[in-house]
Amino acid sequence: MGKTIVEKIFSKKAGKDVEPGDIIEVEVDYVMVNDITGYPAIREFEKLGVKPKIDKIIIIPDHFVPNKDIKSAEQAKTLRNFVKKYKIKHYFEVGRNGICHQIMIEKGFVAPGRLIVGADSHTCTYGALNCLGIGIGSTEAAVVFATGKLWFKVPETLKFLIKGTPRKYVMGKDIILKIISEIGVDGANYKAMEFHGDTIRKLNLSDRLTITNMSVEAGAKAAIMEPDEKVFNYLKYRTIGNYEAVYADRDAEYEKVFELDVSNLEPLVAKPFSPGNVVPVRELSDIEIDQAFIGSCTNGRIEDLRIAAKILKGKKVRDYVRLIVIPASQEVYQKALEEGLIKIFLEAGAYVSGPTCGPCLGGHVGVLASDEVCISSTNRNFIGRMGHKNSKVYLANPAVVAASAITGRITDPRDLDRD
Amino acid sequence: MRKKIIGRVWKFGSNIDTDQIIPAEYLVTDDEKELAIHAFEKVRPNFYKLVKQNDIIVAEYNFGCGSSREHAVRALKGLGIGCVIAKSFARIFFRNAINLGLLVVEADIVADEGDIVEVNLDENIIYNKTKNLSFKFKKLPNFLLEIIDSGGLINYVRKKYQV
């Protein structure tokens, strides 16, 4: 019997053939923590009184940095002190970092066939590069710091076959929102999602990363794709060490196969308070907004900023609306500067800041007041996610966010093209 | 023999996300008591004042979805929650709960808010004392029970690796 990509990666790591349902303890390639999850991880680790596996540990402060208040400053300081104490090799300081998942990819930790655990639910993002990324908690991250190993239950795999060429302004975001709305926010709970089809091959890496990133919004343990030339080219001068691409066997067994034709897909929005609460953008054109946010591990990459800049060029952000643009990393920021995108944002009246998770989780740089509405390129629209319990978040792709910032209402970018 | 958990029921719906359990603005500590004060703050204000030691949360599907923040489990522990019973759990929350020694049981039970419920881990039975109804649940895998019995993952690892 053939195997899925995740079954093959786990089999290789376990040194034996594994099947869904098997419980295995295996060595991971890397373990990543951020400032929020790293703090408890370090404190739990210190209880064990052993030396850490310093080659495997990656520490990236990103959620509440640059420090938003004294408590978050103390938290970040705990991370820094831990790094200094044990001479942790892979630490990324403010000014040389970005959102943890983007850094993991840019700095060459993420590569095909690897197994990486991260104390952040969006670790599943790495699957777009054929890397098995699995989100974990802080205490188990502490145990990986100590042992380099962790237990896993081999998941069943759901196969998604995506066909068709997306229309203008339809992005990876719309594809994954469509999938979440169809299978439900727990439709892939405990399972791996494996994406195939000509659409995936046509999409750029940024759109693929959005799809794997938000797979956790359907509950997925992992999301994965087969690598192609786009992946290999991207990794060429980045990857640390060697890697081995992993492809699904032709006779792999899937728990279920879903087919989706995206040819007629429209830009979509997830309404409060669930990423599965999805409707076409045009159904919401009477919703007025107070804030528009482009950024996060979901949609803060250069491709996202490019499409937003294209829409915003020569236009102004609507009166009383705040447009906040946060590149996902210093590298993205630098590139956006070089390409003149930052200038376009500034001239449109946007606020641009250095990388941070910031407003996505109601941290800082754009927390919402009561009854405020934000259209956001992020991943979650739960109650109070970006601030006050009576604020509302609508999730959409960055083109929709940019168009909405101009009109002050939730807007399908195709409707601006017509003007 | 494992201790039976006996407590009052607090009912919750489906898809209770970890942002509801503990909003992100409070993720600047790992202290259970400090976190507990803000548990469910945006959806059930002052919950911490109402909950007693060993009270039991009974929820529908996908409890603990969203962020991996372990602080959600710490907040529930700080409240004194003795057990969370749900029809299903989001996977990271489930692992975090086991790892921190919070009892989580996947079961479909009949209970109203305020009912007194007993969770028996040896017999895998939940008994609703108020309604005089019993419900079986699937035994947790042995190695998860070992982690729970050790009082969480850190103690389990200490024992296993003799550190």
Side-chain angles (χ1 to χ4, degrees):
Chain A
M1 188 181 89
K3 293 197 181 308
T4 70
I5 301 174
V6 168
E7 287 159 17
K8 284 171 100 167
I9 293 176
F10 270 137
S11 292
K12 200 175 122 202
K13 293 290 172 191
K16 62 176 182 192
D17 261 12
V18 300
E19 289 176 15
D22 287 355
I23 290 174
I24 51 171
E25 190 184 31
V26 295
E27 187 101 7
V28 305
D29 290 291
Y30 294 108
V31 53
M32 186 276 299
V33 297
N34 60 47
D35 49 324
I36 285 181
T37 60
Y39 177 72
I42 287 165
R43 286 165 53 94
E44 293 296 330
F45 169 79
E46 294 290 8
K47 290 181 187 169
L48 290 170
V50 295
K51 286 223 161 69
K53 305 273 181 192
I54 57 168
D55 296 340
K56 287 189 188 290
I57 301 172
I58 301 159
I59 297 188
I60 309 172
D62 63 354
H63 278 60
F64 291 164
V65 299
N67 308 329
K68 79 180 177 88
D69 54 20
I70 294 168
K71 281 189 158 182
S72 64
E74 293 293 340
Q75 203 158 247
K77 186 175 150 189
T78 303
L79 266 61
R80 200 172 294 108
N81 286 344
F82 175 77
V83 167
K84 288 179 188 167
K85 179 177 170 186
Y86 293 107
K87 300 188 169 57
I88 303 290
K89 288 202 273 186
H90 308 303
Y91 172 68
F92 296 91
E93 190 55 270
V94 172
R96 282 143 274 159
N97 73 1
I99 298 173
C100 58
H101 305 303
Q102 186 64 16
I103 295 301
M104 289 294 289
I105 291 163
E106 286 176 3
K107 301 296 181 187
F109 298 108
V110 172
R114 287 184 186 164
L115 169 61
I116 299 179
V117 290
D120 188 287
S121 61
H122 292 107
T123 305
C124 53
T125 308
Y126 313 157
L129 302 178
N130 193 234
C131 172
L132 180 50
I134 297 179
I136 61 169
S138 298
T139 297
E140 37 192 7
V143 168
V144 184
F145 283 7
T147 65
K149 288 187 256 180
L150 193 62
W151 70 269
F152 300 92
K153 188 169 161 193
V154 179
E156 291 86 13
T157 299
L158 306 175
K159 181 177 180 175
F160 292 82
L161 194 56
I162 324 269
K163 297 185 291 193
T165 305
R167 293 195 217 160
K168 194 178 179 187
Y169 299 130
V170 172
M171 302 178 67
K173 182 64 152 281
D174 305 291
I175 296 172
I176 190 64
L177 286 179
K178 178 74 182 165
I179 290 171
I180 297 165
S181 74
E182 287 200 356
I183 68 171
V185 291
D186 59 355
N189 198 11
Y190 292 95
K191 301 185 195 310
M193 295 168 82
E194 195 178 284
F195 296 93
H196 293 268
D198 61 290
T199 311
I200 300 296
R201 287 190 293 277
K202 282 177 202 154
L203 292 176
N204 60 36
L205 291 192
S206 176
D207 280 315
R208 296 184 198 178
L209 286 160
T210 306
I211 292 174
T212 48
N213 172 277
M214 281 194 74
S215 294
V216 71
E217 264 52 74
K221 175 174 192 154
I224 202 120
M225 295 176 179
E226 292 186 333
D228 60 4
E229 283 309 309
K230 286 181 190 169
V231 171
F232 300 135
N233 287 337
Y234 178 83
L235 293 174
K236 206 168 250 172
Y237 301 107
R238 295 181 188 266
T239 310
I240 300 169
N242 301 319
Y243 63 81
E244 204 180 315
V246 178
Y247 303 87
D249 288 334
R250 294 187 68 154
D251 58 345
E253 285 208 6
Y254 297 92
E255 187 181 274
K256 213 168 168 189
V257 180
F258 297 86
E259 288 190 29
L260 177 67
D261 185 342
V262 299
S263 312
N264 294 316
L265 197 64
E266 290 183 62
L268 301 172
V269 174
K271 300 192 289 181
F273 296 98
S274 166
N277 197 8
V278 175
V279 296
V281 177
R282 279 178 177 156
E283 281 185 22
L284 300 177
S285 55
D286 57 340
I287 305 268
E288 292 185 4
I289 58 161
D290 300 285
Q291 182 168 297
F293 172 46
I294 298 168
S296 85
C297 58
T298 308
N299 280 118
R301 281 174 280 277
I302 192 69
E303 293 83 352
D304 300 314
L305 302 190
R306 278 182 198 140
I307 192 162
K310 210 169 163 188
I311 290 166
L312 285 158
K313 192 170 185 180
K315 302 267 177 49
K316 293 283 180 201
V317 174
R318 183 85 174 181
D319 286 351
Y320 306 115
V321 171
R322 297 101 57 181
L323 170 61
I324 296 170
V325 181
I326 305 185
S329 69
Q330 294 290 139
E331 183 184 314
V332 174
Y333 198 178
Q334 183 75 37
K335 205 151 200 305
L337 265 175
E338 287 164 12
E339 293 184 15
L341 310 182
I342 301 295
K343 189 161 181 276
I344 292 171
F345 297 137
L346 294 178
E347 284 175 358
Y351 173 89
V352 182
S353 98
T356 175
C357 302
C360 172
L361 73 162
H364 56 156
V365 204
V367 175
L368 300 176
S370 57
D371 303 316
E372 285 196 326
V373 173
C374 180
I375 182 118
S376 181
S377 77
T378 54
N379 42 59
R380 289 182 179 140
N381 55 357
F382 301 149
I383 296 168
R385 169 73 178 182
M386 287 179 74
H388 194 278
K389 65 182 165 69
N390 295 336
S391 61
K392 285 181 178 154
V393 180
Y394 291 80
L395 305 174
N397 76 39
V400 173
V401 176
S404 305
I406 294 167
T407 63
R409 291 174 291 103
I410 292 180
T411 299
D412 189 319
R414 293 175 297 175
D415 296 336
L416 292 186
D417 282 356
R418 281 200 306 227
D419 291 345
Chain B
M1 251 212 12
R2 297 184 181 90
K3 194 176 82 188
K4 287 177 187 161
I5 309 281
I6 302 169
R8 274 189 313 169
V9 167
W10 296 95
K11 292 268 282 186
F12 284 83
S14 280
N15 305 319
I16 301 299
D17 57 76
T18 52
D19 277 82
Q20 282 184 50
I21 301 173
I22 184 74
E25 49 266 42
Y26 305 112
L27 306 182
V28 286
T29 177
D30 58 4
D31 185 80
E32 291 178 0
K33 291 286 168 208
E34 220 175 299
L35 290 164
I37 292 169
H38 304 290
F40 297 110
E41 186 178 272
K42 293 183 183 180
V43 289
R44 283 198 176 201
N46 294 317
F47 192 58
Y48 74 101
K49 289 183 185 162
L50 307 170
V51 176
K52 289 193 210 132
Q53 193 65 31
N54 279 337
D55 277 2
I56 291 171
I57 286 177
V58 177
E60 298 287 315
Y61 295 96
N62 203 26
F63 188 88
C65 60
S67 158
S68 69
R69 62 187 70 163
E70 197 174 273
H71 310 68
V73 172
R74 291 173 188 263
L76 298 183
K77 283 183 72 187
L79 287 173
I81 294 294
C83 178
V84 183
I85 300 167
K87 289 180 185 164
S88 67
F89 290 91
R91 62 164 283 275
I92 304 179
F93 178 89
F94 186 82
R95 288 180 76 115
N96 286 344
I98 302 282
N99 290 338
L100 290 175
L102 172 69
L103 187 58
V104 278
V105 173
E106 212 172 88
D108 185 356
I109 74 160
V110 176
D112 289 315
E113 192 140 307
D115 284 0
I116 303 297
V117 159
E118 177 184 297
V119 181
N120 183 328
L121 264 190
D122 286 320
E123 291 169 27
N124 303 304
I125 284 176
I126 296 168
Y127 177 50
N128 184 333
K129 293 187 153 192
T130 309
K131 293 192 166 37
N132 194 22
L133 293 169
S134 292
F135 307 92
K136 286 287 279 181
F137 63 89
K138 213 174 130 195
K139 185 174 176 282
L140 285 165
N142 276 335
F143 88 108
L144 289 187
L145 283 173
E146 273 177 55
I147 296 174
I148 292 172
D149 291 343
S150 307
L153 186 65
I154 293 293
N155 289 337
Y156 171 80
V157 169
R158 267 189 188 144
K159 260 199 277 179
K160 193 175 162 192
Y161 294 93
Q162 304 285 314
V163 293

